[in-house]
């Protein structure tokens, strides 16, 4: 498993920057996500959204998180020694994300260290900055990933 | 709008506790969410999940967040003066969430204050603790909500 994955703990040194995506926000998916998980009018109903403070339909912040997760998966996680994540901090929803927007993510590694309790695992703390097609930051967050190490 | 909603800023005083849910985790939904947003093998493929450190299929942490969001919506948000959220902190995925688990959420209000820049709005900071059917904490997070005020 370790030998077969392209990315292991050692491939995420402090200071590394990766660009993930792009992903265009699909209106049908915005409505589906809202219908399932976040049926507030400004996520679900175009007429109500137009009349709201948002001035139009916006994606649920959790949908944006989920889209970022998918960009991580496609860029590196699915071909890595990832063992999941204990959590995420400082999610900031900075600007509305609208159908038709094209998002990409700038990942920066902030901290990387072997696990004290599990020497075969390393912990990587990263910042993910989500930008739209106008280079405006629409979301940011920080989180820890656990990755198997190549050398123990 | 304000007059028609049951819940406004004034209904979330510091120390308030609300119990949200329950919601039973549906296996088809776990697989659908994973397929769309988080196709790591332990979220998507039962055989691979059984062989993983999780010992079986587990919901994506983002799916758990989305289920919590839906419980908030159904309990109070959809009948409130909510104006969205600027962000969430300290998401901790503490234990695996598995198909068939029944989740509920204990919400505790930590802080509540009028907005400095927008006197018609109040800010509420809450902790959401997610428990399974064995009363085990499986997730926790803190976040801010913005609510219209009854009296300005």
């Amino acid at each position: 498993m370790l030998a077969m994955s392209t990315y292991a703990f050692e491939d995420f040194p402090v200071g590394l920057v990766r660009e993930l995506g792009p992903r265009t926000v699909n209106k049908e998916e915005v409505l589906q996500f809202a219908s399932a998980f976040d049926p507030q009018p400004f996520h679900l109903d175009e007429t109500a959204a137009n009349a709201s403070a948002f001035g139009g339909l916006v994606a649920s912040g959790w949908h944006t998180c989920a889209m970022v997760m998918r960009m991580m998966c496609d860029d590196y996680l699915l071909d890595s020694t990832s063992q999941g994540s204990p959590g995420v901090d400082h999610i900031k929803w900075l600007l509305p994300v609208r159908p038709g927007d094209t998002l990409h993510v700038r990942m920066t590694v902030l901290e990387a260290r072997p696990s004290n309790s599990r020497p075969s695992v390393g912990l990587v703390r990263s910042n993910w900055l989500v930008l739209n097609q106008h280079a405006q930051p629409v979301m940011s967050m920080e989180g820890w990933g656990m990755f198997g190490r190549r050398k123990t």
Side-chain angles (χ1 to χ4, degrees), chain A:
Chain A
M1 185 80 175
L2 286 181
M4 290 166 61
S5 299
T6 301
Y7 300 105
F9 170 68
E10 289 76 11
D11 299 300
F12 301 99
V14 173
L16 177 78
V17 175
R18 289 184 72 90
E19 302 280 340
L20 322 180
R23 181 180 177 112
T24 296
V25 181
N26 178 281
K27 180 170 153 182
E28 287 312 308
E29 195 184 88
V30 166
L31 297 172
Q32 274 176 26
F33 191 100
S35 174
F37 300 117
D38 193 354
Q40 298 185 80
F42 37 86
H43 298 319
L44 186 63
D45 176 332
E46 203 146 18
T47 307
N50 289 340
S52 78
F54 293 110
L57 207 58
V58 295
S60 168
W62 298 111
H63 184 197
T64 306
C65 291
M67 289 189 279
V68 172
M69 186 69 209
R70 182 58 191 256
M71 287 187 263
M72 290 183 203
C73 282
D74 290 343
D75 187 83
Y76 61 94
L77 269 181
L78 296 185
D79 189 16
S80 78
T81 59
S82 172
Q83 299 189 17
S85 167
V88 168
D89 275 308
H90 311 313
I91 296 181
K92 293 178 187 169
W93 293 303
L94 301 167
L95 282 177
V97 171
R98 302 180 190 277
D101 281 355
T102 296
L103 306 180
H104 75 276
V105 178
R106 185 170 303 143
M107 169 188 177
T108 306
V109 175
L110 304 175
E111 194 176 343
R113 61 173 178 78
S115 164
N116 292 323
S117 55
R118 298 169 62 202
S120 65
V121 171
L123 293 161
V124 177
R125 184 166 66 90
S126 302
N127 174 273
W128 293 275
L129 178 65
V130 187
L131 301 151
N132 67 15
Q133 68 277 19
H134 307 298
Q136 296 169 312
V138 296
M139 196 189 112
S140 66
M141 64 178 180
E142 284 182 23
W144 288 96
M146 298 181 290
F147 293 90
R149 296 171 70 186
R150 282 226 178 75
K151 315 146 197 165
T152 55

